[in-house]
Structures are given as C-alpha cells and as structure tokens.
Amino acid sequence: MGAVWDRNFYHSRGLAQCIADFLLVRKPDLTVIDAYRVLTGNGPRSRNPADVSLMKMQILSTDVVAADASGARLLGRKPEDYKHLRIAGAMGFGTLAPESLVSRRISL
C-alpha cells in the first residue's frame, strides 16, 4: 500500500480486490518480507514497545501469495482469513499453501 497515492480510492472500491488487482500491473519477481521486528498490535501507528515482537526472520519467495500466506502464519492467522490473498490465489498469482513449496531455514 506504500506505493498507492490515493488510499481512499482503494478503500471506497473494495480494498481486497484492489490489492489483488495491483498484481495485474506488475507481478513481483521476488517478494521479501522483513519480519525481524514485527508490529503485532495496534498497527499501523503504535508507539508502544509491547506491540512489537522480535522474530528475527525474513520470508523470501518468488510466489507473492505464498509469501504473504507465510507472513499470516507468522502472526498466528490463517491465510484464508485475508480476502485479498484468497482473491489473488483464485486469480492465479500464487498459492495459499506455502507448505507445498520448497523452503529452507537458514540460521546466521
């Protein structure tokens, strides 16, 4: 959403569909989710340190839907709980089942 100039446009026309439709413009070659410090409550503007969890993780994927599905799981949620993920998956942009993909855990 950081690339969207008029967020009210998205909200007034169905936010979940608009987010999924953004992939029609350009599907990412690589999706990177920085989950080192994660805001887990009172987002997006919380200033309370108690709302931040130190996870020390990153998710990298060529499948944007699988990356977001993995991010949802990090937060203890089901990917199916997010309408934009269901729509993007149905549009053929990726899978909601990241466990079906090859994954590697790397410790540094």
Side-chain angles (χ1 to χ4, degrees), residues 28 30-35 58-74 79 84-85 93-99 101:
L30 179 66
T31 300
V32 178
I33 298 175
D34 179 1
Q58 285 186 335
I59 298 168
L60 294 89
S61 180
T62 56
D63 183 327
V64 63
V65 178
D68 273 358
S70 295
R73 287 194 172 103
L74 274 180
H84 71 282
L85 291 180
F93 287 114
T95 179
L96 287 174
E99 64 275 359
L101 303 174

Side-chain angles (χ1 to χ4, degrees):
M1 290 296 290
V4 176
W5 178 258
D6 184 1
R7 292 180 186 181
N8 288 330
F9 177 86
Y10 270 39
H11 284 278
S12 67
R13 289 181 176 62
L15 181 61
Q17 185 67 56
C18 286
I19 292 171
D21 286 347
F22 200 75
L23 295 172
L24 293 168
V25 175
R26 173 86 165 71
K27 185 178 175 189
D29 296 316
L30 179 66
T31 300
V32 178
I33 298 175
D34 179 1
Y36 194 87
R37 290 186 211 301
V38 180
L39 184 62
T40 57
N42 299 312
R45 296 188 176 114
S46 176
R47 294 174 190 245
N48 185 348
D51 292 333
V52 177
S53 177
L54 190 62
M55 294 186 177
K56 297 184 180 181
M57 296 181 74
Q58 285 186 335
I59 298 168
L60 294 89
S61 180
T62 56
D63 183 327
V64 63
V65 178
D68 273 358
S70 295
R73 287 194 172 103
L74 274 180
L75 297 173
R77 303 281 306 268
K78 295 181 206 168
E80 300 82 21
D81 291 343
Y82 296 93
K83 188 175 180 181
H84 71 282
L85 291 180
R86 292 194 314 268
I87 294 170
M91 291 172 72
F93 287 114
T95 179
L96 287 174
E99 64 275 359
S100 67
L101 303 174
V102 175
S103 65
R104 292 184 187 97
R105 182 173 294 262
I106 301 169
S107 298
L108 300 176

